[in-house]
Amino acid sequence: MDIGADIAQLPGVDRSEPVSGGLGDSGNLLYRHTSTLLEVRSLGALSGAEALATLSTTQLQVNTVEDLEIVLVQQVTLNRTAYLVIFAREQLSETARLYTFEPFTLGVHRVAATVPYRPSALHVSAAMAAGRGSSCEWEFAVVCFGLDQGRVLLGNLTVDADGSQLTGITKFAMDAHRCAVADVRVVARPDGSGRVLALLGMAAGSVAAAEYEPFGGGRVSLVAAAAGEGPVACIAAAAVDEARLVVCTGHGASVAAYSLELDAHAALTHVATQTVRSDDDGGVEVRDIQIIDARETASAVVVAALATSGGSERGARRARAAAAEPGAVAAVVSAWTYDAAAGAMDAVSRQATRGADAVLAMRVSGRALQVEVVTARRLLLGDALAGGSGGEPSRARAGGEWLDGFAYPPQVRGAVGEQRRRMDGELFVDLLLRAGG
Protein backbone atom coordinates (compact mmCIF):
# COMPACT_ATOMS: atom_id res chain seq x y z
CA MET A 1 0.00 0.00 0.00
CA ASP A 2 1.15 3.52 -0.82
CA ILE A 3 0.88 6.43 1.61
CA GLY A 4 -1.74 8.71 0.08
CA ALA A 5 -1.44 11.37 2.78
CA ASP A 6 0.30 11.95 6.08
CA ILE A 7 -2.08 13.21 8.77
CA ALA A 8 -0.98 15.60 11.50
CA GLN A 9 -1.29 14.51 15.09
CA LEU A 10 -4.55 15.48 16.78
CA PRO A 11 -4.07 18.90 18.41
CA GLY A 12 -3.43 18.75 22.13
CA VAL A 13 -3.57 14.95 22.18
CA ASP A 14 -0.75 12.84 23.55
CA ARG A 15 0.53 10.08 21.26
CA SER A 16 -0.27 7.49 23.93
CA GLU A 17 -3.98 8.42 24.03
CA PRO A 18 -6.23 5.95 22.15
CA VAL A 19 -7.58 7.28 18.84
CA SER A 20 -10.59 5.93 16.95
CA GLY A 21 -12.05 6.97 13.62
CA GLY A 22 -12.97 6.03 10.10
CA LEU A 23 -13.65 6.98 6.50
CA GLY A 24 -17.08 8.24 5.54
CA ASP A 25 -19.25 5.93 3.46
CA SER A 26 -20.00 8.82 1.13
CA GLY A 27 -17.99 11.93 0.41
CA ASN A 28 -14.26 12.28 0.98
CA LEU A 29 -14.40 12.65 4.75
CA LEU A 30 -11.98 11.21 7.27
CA TYR A 31 -12.67 11.50 10.98
CA ARG A 32 -10.66 10.75 14.12
CA HIS A 33 -11.63 11.12 17.75
CA THR A 34 -10.52 10.62 21.31
CA SER A 35 -12.84 10.65 24.32
CA THR A 36 -12.77 14.48 24.35
CA LEU A 37 -12.09 15.64 20.76
CA LEU A 38 -13.50 14.93 17.28
CA GLU A 39 -11.64 16.02 14.15
CA VAL A 40 -12.98 15.87 10.58
CA ARG A 41 -10.75 16.11 7.51
CA SER A 42 -11.48 16.52 3.81
CA LEU A 43 -9.54 14.32 1.40
CA GLY A 44 -8.64 16.77 -1.36
CA ALA A 45 -6.74 16.23 -4.58
CA LEU A 46 -3.88 18.62 -3.77
CA SER A 47 -4.18 19.24 -0.05
CA GLY A 48 -4.11 15.60 1.10
CA ALA A 49 -6.07 15.18 4.34
CA GLU A 50 -6.88 18.81 5.12
CA ALA A 51 -8.39 19.66 8.51
CA LEU A 52 -12.00 20.71 8.09
CA ALA A 53 -13.48 20.98 11.58
CA THR A 54 -12.95 20.03 15.22
CA LEU A 55 -15.47 19.57 18.00
CA SER A 56 -14.65 19.14 21.69
CA THR A 57 -16.78 17.79 24.51
CA THR A 58 -16.61 21.26 26.07
CA GLN A 59 -18.65 22.53 23.13
CA LEU A 60 -21.16 19.72 23.66
CA GLN A 61 -21.63 20.42 27.37
CA VAL A 62 -24.74 22.57 27.16
CA ASN A 63 -27.17 22.52 30.10
CA THR A 64 -24.91 20.19 32.05
CA VAL A 65 -21.94 20.57 34.37
CA GLU A 66 -20.90 16.95 33.99
CA ASP A 67 -17.98 15.75 31.93
CA LEU A 68 -18.90 14.13 28.64
CA GLU A 69 -16.92 11.46 26.84
CA ILE A 70 -17.18 10.70 23.12
CA VAL A 71 -17.61 6.95 22.72
CA LEU A 72 -18.69 6.24 19.12
CA VAL A 73 -18.85 8.27 15.91
CA GLN A 74 -20.37 7.32 12.54
CA GLN A 75 -20.95 9.26 9.34
CA VAL A 76 -24.23 9.47 7.43
CA THR A 77 -25.41 11.59 4.48
CA LEU A 78 -29.01 12.81 4.60
CA ASN A 79 -30.55 15.03 1.93
CA ARG A 80 -27.11 15.56 0.36
CA THR A 81 -25.61 16.81 3.62
CA ALA A 82 -22.89 14.91 5.47
CA TYR A 83 -23.29 14.50 9.23
CA LEU A 84 -21.28 12.87 11.99
CA VAL A 85 -23.51 11.02 14.45
CA ILE A 86 -21.87 11.22 17.88
CA PHE A 87 -22.69 8.96 20.81
CA ALA A 88 -21.51 10.51 24.10
CA ARG A 89 -21.95 9.69 27.78
CA GLU A 90 -22.28 11.72 30.97
CA GLN A 91 -20.10 9.80 33.37
CA LEU A 92 -21.57 10.78 36.75
CA SER A 93 -25.29 10.52 36.00
CA GLU A 94 -24.80 7.54 33.64
CA THR A 95 -26.96 9.05 30.92
CA ALA A 96 -26.18 9.02 27.20
CA ARG A 97 -26.71 11.48 24.36
CA LEU A 98 -26.77 11.46 20.57
CA TYR A 99 -25.63 14.46 18.54
CA THR A 100 -25.45 15.28 14.84
CA PHE A 101 -22.52 17.42 13.69
CA GLU A 102 -22.37 19.06 10.27
CA PRO A 103 -18.63 19.72 9.69
CA PHE A 104 -19.05 22.24 6.84
CA THR A 105 -21.29 24.64 8.78
CA LEU A 106 -20.18 23.50 12.28
CA GLY A 107 -23.83 22.99 13.20
CA VAL A 108 -24.45 20.76 16.22
CA HIS A 109 -27.83 19.34 17.25
CA ARG A 110 -28.62 17.16 20.21
CA VAL A 111 -30.95 14.34 19.14
CA ALA A 112 -34.21 14.51 21.06
CA ALA A 113 -34.36 10.96 22.42
CA THR A 114 -33.42 8.79 25.38
CA VAL A 115 -30.73 6.31 24.34
CA PRO A 116 -28.99 3.43 26.17
CA TYR A 117 -26.02 4.36 28.33
CA ARG A 118 -23.81 1.37 27.59
CA PRO A 119 -24.64 -0.25 24.22
CA SER A 120 -22.53 -3.18 23.08
CA ALA A 121 -22.81 -2.08 19.42
CA LEU A 122 -24.16 0.81 17.34
CA HIS A 123 -24.80 1.27 13.62
CA VAL A 124 -26.34 4.07 11.56
CA SER A 125 -27.71 2.92 8.21
CA ALA A 126 -27.28 4.62 4.86
CA ALA A 127 -29.95 7.16 3.89
CA MET A 128 -33.40 5.83 3.04
CA ALA A 129 -36.18 7.66 1.22
CA ALA A 130 -39.11 8.49 3.47
CA GLY A 131 -41.48 10.27 1.12
CA ARG A 132 -42.27 13.77 -0.04
CA GLY A 133 -42.86 16.72 2.23
CA SER A 134 -44.33 20.02 1.22
CA SER A 135 -41.58 20.85 -1.26
CA CYS A 136 -39.01 18.07 -1.61
CA GLU A 137 -38.22 14.46 -0.83
CA TRP A 138 -36.64 13.86 2.56
CA GLU A 139 -34.48 11.07 3.93
CA PHE A 140 -33.92 9.29 7.19
CA ALA A 141 -31.45 6.77 8.61
CA VAL A 142 -32.15 3.86 10.93
CA VAL A 143 -30.10 3.81 14.14
CA CYS A 144 -29.66 0.41 15.78
CA PHE A 145 -28.22 -0.12 19.27
CA GLY A 146 -27.02 -3.59 20.21
CA LEU A 147 -27.51 -4.38 23.88
CA ASP A 148 -26.92 -7.24 26.30
CA GLN A 149 -29.33 -10.14 26.75
CA GLY A 150 -29.91 -10.37 22.98
CA ARG A 151 -31.74 -7.04 22.83
CA VAL A 152 -31.71 -4.29 20.22
CA LEU A 153 -33.18 -0.78 20.07
CA LEU A 154 -34.07 0.78 16.71
CA GLY A 155 -35.25 4.25 15.70
CA ASN A 156 -35.53 6.61 12.72
CA LEU A 157 -33.04 9.50 12.62
CA THR A 158 -34.07 12.69 10.80
CA VAL A 159 -32.35 16.06 10.57
CA ASP A 160 -34.11 19.25 9.44
CA ALA A 161 -34.26 22.95 10.19
CA ASP A 162 -35.85 22.22 13.56
CA GLY A 163 -33.02 19.95 14.70
CA SER A 164 -32.40 16.21 14.96
CA GLN A 165 -34.91 13.62 16.10
CA LEU A 166 -35.00 9.89 16.75
CA THR A 167 -38.56 8.62 16.32
CA GLY A 168 -40.35 5.29 16.12
CA ILE A 169 -38.09 3.89 18.84
CA THR A 170 -38.67 0.17 19.30
CA LYS A 171 -37.04 -2.45 21.53
CA PHE A 172 -36.78 -6.08 20.55
CA ALA A 173 -35.40 -9.12 22.40
CA MET A 174 -34.39 -12.45 20.88
CA ASP A 175 -35.49 -14.98 23.45
CA ALA A 176 -33.17 -17.71 22.19
CA HIS A 177 -30.05 -15.51 22.16
CA ARG A 178 -29.49 -14.25 25.68
CA CYS A 179 -26.02 -12.77 25.16
CA ALA A 180 -24.61 -9.40 24.13
CA VAL A 181 -25.08 -8.19 20.56
CA ALA A 182 -21.44 -7.73 19.50
CA ASP A 183 -22.05 -5.91 16.20
CA VAL A 184 -24.99 -4.77 14.08
CA ARG A 185 -25.58 -3.69 10.48
CA VAL A 186 -28.78 -2.15 9.15
CA VAL A 187 -29.65 -2.38 5.44
CA ALA A 188 -32.77 -1.79 3.40
CA ARG A 189 -34.60 -4.89 2.17
CA PRO A 190 -33.59 -5.28 -1.50
CA ASP A 191 -37.18 -5.82 -2.70
CA GLY A 192 -38.02 -2.12 -2.33
CA SER A 193 -40.70 -2.79 0.29
CA GLY A 194 -39.44 -0.01 2.58
CA ARG A 195 -38.73 -2.51 5.35
CA VAL A 196 -35.32 -2.73 6.98
CA LEU A 197 -33.12 -5.67 7.97
CA ALA A 198 -30.97 -5.58 11.10
CA LEU A 199 -28.12 -8.12 10.91
CA LEU A 200 -26.91 -9.10 14.37
CA GLY A 201 -23.63 -10.76 15.32
CA MET A 202 -23.72 -12.21 18.82
CA ALA A 203 -20.93 -12.43 21.38
CA ALA A 204 -21.69 -16.14 21.78
CA GLY A 205 -21.16 -16.72 18.05
CA SER A 206 -24.64 -16.93 16.54
CA VAL A 207 -25.88 -14.73 13.68
CA ALA A 208 -29.44 -13.43 13.26
CA ALA A 209 -31.52 -11.25 10.95
CA ALA A 210 -34.48 -9.20 12.21
CA GLU A 211 -36.95 -7.17 10.14
CA TYR A 212 -37.96 -3.64 11.17
CA GLU A 213 -40.85 -1.62 9.72
CA PRO A 214 -39.94 2.06 10.15
CA PHE A 215 -43.43 3.29 9.30
CA GLY A 216 -45.43 0.24 10.32
CA GLY A 217 -45.66 1.03 14.00
CA GLY A 218 -42.00 0.12 14.46
CA ARG A 219 -42.73 -3.61 14.43
CA VAL A 220 -39.71 -5.90 14.70
CA SER A 221 -39.68 -9.65 14.00
CA LEU A 222 -36.99 -12.31 13.80
CA VAL A 223 -36.47 -13.49 10.20
CA ALA A 224 -33.77 -16.16 10.54
CA ALA A 225 -30.82 -17.21 12.69
CA ALA A 226 -27.86 -19.56 12.43
CA ALA A 227 -25.15 -20.96 14.64
CA GLY A 228 -21.92 -19.04 14.14
CA GLU A 229 -18.27 -19.97 13.70
CA GLY A 230 -17.16 -18.19 16.86
CA PRO A 231 -17.69 -14.95 18.82
CA VAL A 232 -18.51 -12.24 16.26
CA ALA A 233 -16.26 -9.17 16.08
CA CYS A 234 -17.85 -7.49 13.04
CA ILE A 235 -20.67 -8.11 10.56
CA ALA A 236 -21.59 -6.82 7.09
CA ALA A 237 -24.22 -7.55 4.44
CA ALA A 238 -25.08 -6.76 0.80
CA ALA A 239 -27.80 -7.71 -1.65
CA VAL A 240 -27.29 -10.44 -4.24
CA ASP A 241 -30.74 -9.96 -5.76
CA GLU A 242 -34.23 -8.95 -4.59
CA ALA A 243 -34.63 -12.06 -2.46
CA ARG A 244 -31.08 -12.81 -1.26
CA LEU A 245 -28.32 -11.20 0.75
CA VAL A 246 -24.80 -12.30 1.55
CA VAL A 247 -23.93 -11.81 5.23
CA CYS A 248 -20.31 -11.98 6.41
CA THR A 249 -18.96 -12.09 9.95
CA GLY A 250 -15.45 -11.66 11.26
CA HIS A 251 -14.34 -13.80 14.19
CA GLY A 252 -10.72 -14.14 15.12
CA ALA A 253 -8.67 -14.55 11.96
CA SER A 254 -11.60 -15.88 9.89
CA VAL A 255 -14.40 -14.52 7.72
CA ALA A 256 -17.58 -16.58 7.48
CA ALA A 257 -20.14 -16.08 4.69
CA TYR A 258 -23.86 -16.83 4.97
CA SER A 259 -26.68 -16.76 2.44
CA LEU A 260 -29.84 -15.03 3.70
CA GLU A 261 -32.93 -16.13 1.74
CA LEU A 262 -35.89 -13.77 2.07
CA ASP A 263 -38.64 -15.86 0.48
CA ALA A 264 -41.56 -17.49 2.28
CA HIS A 265 -39.14 -20.02 3.81
CA ALA A 266 -36.59 -17.52 5.11
CA ALA A 267 -33.27 -19.10 6.05
CA LEU A 268 -29.75 -18.06 7.03
CA THR A 269 -27.29 -20.71 5.78
CA HIS A 270 -23.53 -20.91 6.30
CA VAL A 271 -21.72 -21.12 2.94
CA ALA A 272 -17.97 -20.84 3.49
CA THR A 273 -15.25 -19.72 5.89
CA GLN A 274 -11.93 -18.18 4.85
CA THR A 275 -8.86 -17.36 6.93
CA VAL A 276 -6.81 -14.16 6.76
CA ARG A 277 -3.10 -14.91 6.96
CA SER A 278 -0.35 -12.65 8.26
CA ASP A 279 3.21 -12.24 6.98
CA ASP A 280 4.69 -13.82 10.11
CA ASP A 281 3.70 -16.10 12.94
CA GLY A 282 1.62 -13.52 14.75
CA GLY A 283 -2.08 -13.70 15.44
CA VAL A 284 -4.52 -11.91 13.16
CA GLU A 285 -7.81 -10.30 14.18
CA VAL A 286 -10.45 -9.32 11.62
CA ARG A 287 -11.65 -5.80 12.50
CA ASP A 288 -13.75 -4.64 9.54
CA ILE A 289 -15.56 -6.16 6.57
CA GLN A 290 -16.76 -4.41 3.42
CA ILE A 291 -19.08 -6.09 0.91
CA ILE A 292 -19.61 -4.57 -2.50
CA ASP A 293 -23.15 -5.02 -3.80
CA ALA A 294 -23.42 -7.54 -6.64
CA ARG A 295 -25.54 -5.06 -8.55
CA GLU A 296 -22.52 -2.74 -8.63
CA THR A 297 -19.91 -5.32 -9.60
CA ALA A 298 -22.32 -6.92 -12.14
CA SER A 299 -20.80 -10.36 -11.64
CA ALA A 300 -20.04 -11.43 -8.08
CA VAL A 301 -20.09 -9.94 -4.63
CA VAL A 302 -16.62 -8.88 -3.51
CA VAL A 303 -15.82 -9.29 0.18
CA ALA A 304 -12.88 -7.37 1.65
CA ALA A 305 -11.71 -7.94 5.21
CA LEU A 306 -9.35 -5.69 7.16
CA ALA A 307 -7.28 -7.53 9.74
CA THR A 308 -4.63 -6.28 12.14
CA SER A 309 -1.80 -8.08 13.85
CA GLY A 310 1.06 -7.21 16.12
CA GLY A 311 2.91 -10.21 14.75
CA SER A 312 5.33 -12.51 16.49
CA GLU A 313 8.23 -11.00 18.43
CA ARG A 314 10.61 -11.93 15.63
CA GLY A 315 8.27 -10.45 13.05
CA ALA A 316 7.80 -7.35 15.19
CA ARG A 317 11.57 -6.88 15.39
CA ARG A 318 11.83 -7.11 11.59
CA ALA A 319 9.02 -4.60 11.18
CA ARG A 320 10.53 -2.17 13.69
CA ALA A 321 13.86 -2.33 11.88
CA ALA A 322 12.20 -1.71 8.52
CA ALA A 323 9.96 1.10 9.74
CA ALA A 324 12.56 2.66 12.05
CA GLU A 325 9.71 3.31 14.48
CA PRO A 326 8.78 1.78 17.84
CA GLY A 327 6.12 -0.91 17.81
CA ALA A 328 4.61 -2.68 14.82
CA VAL A 329 1.07 -2.93 13.51
CA ALA A 330 0.21 -4.94 10.44
CA ALA A 331 -2.78 -4.06 8.28
CA VAL A 332 -3.82 -6.92 6.00
CA VAL A 333 -6.63 -6.55 3.45
CA SER A 334 -7.80 -9.82 1.93
CA ALA A 335 -10.52 -10.01 -0.71
CA TRP A 336 -12.69 -12.77 -2.09
CA THR A 337 -15.47 -13.05 -4.63
CA TYR A 338 -18.64 -14.66 -3.33
CA ASP A 339 -20.41 -16.85 -5.88
CA ALA A 340 -24.01 -17.13 -4.71
CA ALA A 341 -24.90 -19.84 -7.24
CA ALA A 342 -21.93 -22.06 -6.45
CA GLY A 343 -21.92 -21.19 -2.76
CA ALA A 344 -18.17 -20.54 -2.69
CA MET A 345 -15.62 -17.82 -1.92
CA ASP A 346 -12.55 -17.46 -4.16
CA ALA A 347 -9.48 -15.44 -3.14
CA VAL A 348 -8.65 -12.59 -5.52
CA SER A 349 -6.37 -10.18 -3.66
CA ARG A 350 -4.20 -9.71 -0.60
CA GLN A 351 -2.40 -6.54 0.44
CA ALA A 352 -0.39 -5.78 3.55
CA THR A 353 1.49 -2.90 5.11
CA ARG A 354 3.42 -2.27 8.31
CA GLY A 355 3.89 0.75 10.51
CA ALA A 356 3.54 1.92 14.07
CA ASP A 357 0.06 3.46 13.85
CA ALA A 358 -3.21 2.06 15.11
CA VAL A 359 -5.39 0.98 12.17
CA LEU A 360 -8.77 2.69 12.34
CA ALA A 361 -10.90 1.69 9.35
CA MET A 362 -11.11 0.66 5.69
CA ARG A 363 -13.14 1.75 2.66
CA VAL A 364 -13.46 0.27 -0.82
CA SER A 365 -14.38 2.87 -3.45
CA GLY A 366 -14.97 3.25 -7.20
CA ARG A 367 -15.86 0.67 -9.83
CA ALA A 368 -12.28 -0.56 -9.74
CA LEU A 369 -12.71 -1.17 -5.98
CA GLN A 370 -9.63 0.62 -4.73
CA VAL A 371 -8.75 0.02 -1.07
CA GLU A 372 -8.26 2.90 1.34
CA VAL A 373 -7.06 2.24 4.89
CA VAL A 374 -6.79 4.97 7.51
CA THR A 375 -4.48 4.75 10.51
CA ALA A 376 -4.06 7.22 13.34
CA ARG A 377 -1.55 9.26 11.30
CA ARG A 378 -1.74 8.07 7.69
CA LEU A 379 -4.10 7.42 4.82
CA LEU A 380 -2.94 4.36 2.87
CA LEU A 381 -3.98 3.90 -0.76
CA GLY A 382 -4.10 0.26 -1.77
CA ASP A 383 -4.41 -1.39 -5.16
CA ALA A 384 -7.67 -2.35 -6.81
CA LEU A 385 -9.24 -5.60 -5.63
CA ALA A 386 -8.50 -7.59 -8.78
CA GLY A 387 -6.51 -10.67 -9.68
CA GLY A 388 -6.92 -14.37 -10.29
CA SER A 389 -10.24 -16.15 -10.10
CA GLY A 390 -9.10 -18.81 -7.68
CA GLY A 391 -6.16 -20.63 -6.13
CA GLU A 392 -3.41 -18.49 -4.65
CA PRO A 393 -4.32 -14.85 -4.17
CA SER A 394 -2.70 -12.45 -6.61
CA ARG A 395 -2.00 -8.78 -6.12
CA ALA A 396 -3.21 -6.31 -8.70
CA ARG A 397 -0.54 -4.05 -10.16
CA ALA A 398 -1.73 -0.48 -9.94
CA GLY A 399 -0.37 3.03 -9.61
CA GLY A 400 0.91 2.53 -6.06
CA GLU A 401 3.74 0.25 -7.24
CA TRP A 402 4.54 2.56 -10.16
CA LEU A 403 4.80 5.56 -7.87
CA ASP A 404 7.12 3.71 -5.50
CA GLY A 405 9.82 3.92 -8.19
CA PHE A 406 9.92 7.73 -7.95
CA ALA A 407 10.68 10.11 -5.12
CA TYR A 408 7.25 11.77 -5.10
CA PRO A 409 6.38 13.61 -1.88
CA PRO A 410 3.23 12.55 0.01
CA GLN A 411 1.27 15.56 -1.30
CA VAL A 412 1.82 14.50 -4.92
CA ARG A 413 1.05 10.86 -4.14
CA GLY A 414 -2.14 12.01 -2.46
CA ALA A 415 -3.14 14.07 -5.50
CA VAL A 416 -2.55 11.12 -7.82
CA GLY A 417 -4.48 8.81 -5.51
CA GLU A 418 -7.41 11.24 -5.40
CA GLN A 419 -7.47 11.48 -9.20
CA ARG A 420 -7.41 7.70 -9.41
CA ARG A 421 -10.41 7.49 -7.08
CA ARG A 422 -12.31 9.94 -9.26
CA MET A 423 -11.55 7.84 -12.35
CA ASP A 424 -12.76 4.63 -10.72
CA GLY A 425 -9.27 3.35 -9.92
CA GLU A 426 -7.55 3.60 -13.31
CA LEU A 427 -5.40 6.35 -14.78
CA PHE A 428 -4.04 6.29 -18.33
CA VAL A 429 -0.66 5.19 -16.97
CA ASP A 430 -2.36 2.18 -15.35
CA LEU A 431 -3.71 1.13 -18.74
CA LEU A 432 -0.20 1.39 -20.19
CA LEU A 433 1.20 -0.71 -17.36
CA ARG A 434 -1.41 -3.40 -17.88
CA ALA A 435 -0.86 -3.43 -21.64
CA GLY A 436 2.87 -3.85 -21.09
CA GLY A 437 2.32 -6.82 -18.77
Side-chain angles (χ1 to χ4, degrees):
M1 289 185 180
D2 189 40
I3 297 177
D6 292 314
I7 310 171
Q9 184 178 342
L10 279 167
V13 174
D14 187 84
R15 286 180 180 269
S16 62
E17 188 169 351
V19 176
S20 302
L23 290 160
D25 294 334
S26 58
N28 289 325
L29 292 182
L30 180 155
Y31 56 92
R32 301 179 297 169
H33 71 90
T34 65
S35 61
T36 58
L37 180 69
L38 168 66
E39 179 198 65
V40 185
R41 289 178 174 265
S42 174
L43 303 181
L46 297 177
S47 58
E50 181 180 8
L52 183 64
T54 58
L55 181 70
S56 70
T57 50
T58 302
Q59 295 168 278
L60 295 177
Q61 288 171 208
V62 180
N63 299 325
T64 179
V65 296
E66 296 189 26
D67 289 336
L68 287 175
E69 61 172 343
I70 297 172
V71 181
L72 295 166
V73 177
Q74 291 199 10
Q75 189 263 325
V76 66
T77 299
L78 297 175
N79 303 310
R80 299 184 180 180
T81 302
Y83 298 97
L84 280 300
V85 180
I86 304 167
F87 175 79
R89 288 197 293 238
E90 296 181 3
Q91 300 177 45
L92 294 179
S93 62
E94 294 195 350
T95 58
R97 300 180 177 192
L98 271 185
Y99 296 89
T100 57
F101 174 51
E102 205 281 277
F104 293 94
T105 65
L106 305 183
V108 181
H109 293 287
R110 180 176 175 179
V111 179
T114 301
V115 295
Y117 176 72
R118 202 180 296 277
S120 53
L122 170 66
H123 183 244
V124 182
S125 76
M128 301 181 187
R132 292 190 174 274
S134 58
S135 59
C136 62
E137 186 172 336
W138 57 282
E139 296 177 327
F140 73 101
V142 175
V143 178
C144 182
F145 291 90
L147 307 170
D148 59 2
Q149 298 296 308
R151 299 173 299 144
V152 294
L153 182 147
L154 298 107
N156 306 326
L157 175 68
T158 57
V159 183
D160 55 29
D162 297 326
S164 304
Q165 295 183 339
L166 191 66
T167 58
I169 297 176
T170 303
K171 290 184 179 180
F172 174 71
M174 294 175 291
D175 294 334
H177 302 272
R178 290 296 184 178
C179 62
V181 178
D183 197 20
V184 296
R185 283 297 178 274
V186 182
V187 297
R189 247 189 102 117
D191 57 7
S193 64
R195 289 172 289 180
V196 175
L197 293 170
L199 290 311
L200 313 173
M202 314 302 290
S206 56
V207 184
E211 185 176 87
Y212 170 62
E213 298 184 45
F215 301 102
R219 289 190 295 270
V220 184
S221 58
L222 184 65
V223 174
E229 299 290 296
V232 175
C234 53
I235 190 168
V240 175
D241 52 41
E242 290 189 353
R244 283 183 301 173
L245 277 80
V246 56
V247 179
C248 289
T249 59
H251 49 92
S254 300
V255 175
Y258 300 81
S259 176
L260 175 59
E261 306 287 338
L262 296 174
D263 55 16
H265 305 286
L268 185 62
T269 307
H270 176 255
V271 172
T273 298
Q274 296 286 347
T275 301
V276 179
R277 60 181 177 86
S278 65
D279 290 333
D280 48 48
D281 300 329
V284 173
E285 180 181 358
V286 177
R287 296 182 44 139
D288 193 11
I289 299 175
Q290 300 273 323
I291 308 179
I292 293 83
D293 197 318
R295 292 169 295 188
E296 295 180 16
T297 59
S299 56
V301 175
V302 176
V303 179
L306 171 67
T308 59
S309 170
S312 64
E313 180 55 33
R314 183 178 61 181
R317 285 198 300 269
R318 289 200 306 268
R320 284 197 293 268
E325 292 180 334
V329 177
V332 181
V333 177
S334 293
W336 303 269
T337 56
Y338 172 84
D339 188 330
M345 294 174 69
D346 295 319
V348 295
S349 178
R350 181 183 176 278
Q351 304 175 41
T353 188
R354 275 201 180 275
D357 293 340
V359 178
L360 304 183
M362 168 186 66
R363 179 173 66 184
V364 180
S365 61
R367 283 186 304 216
L369 309 182
Q370 185 186 29
V371 176
E372 299 168 311
V373 174
V374 61
T375 75
R377 289 185 294 158
R378 291 179 177 88
L379 173 68
L380 306 173
L381 301 180
D383 295 337
L385 299 182
S389 59
E392 283 296 313
S394 62
R395 175 171 174 168
R397 187 167 77 171
E401 292 174 339
W402 176 264
L403 289 175
D404 283 342
F406 298 87
Y408 285 133
Q411 293 86 349
V412 175
R413 292 200 300 266
V416 174
E418 171 65 18
Q419 187 63 29
R420 178 172 288 109
R421 282 196 294 273
R422 292 181 177 181
M423 299 182 68
D424 295 316
E426 279 194 322
L427 298 174
F428 179 69
V429 67
D430 298 327
L431 300 176
L432 292 178
L433 283 170
R434 194 171 62 206

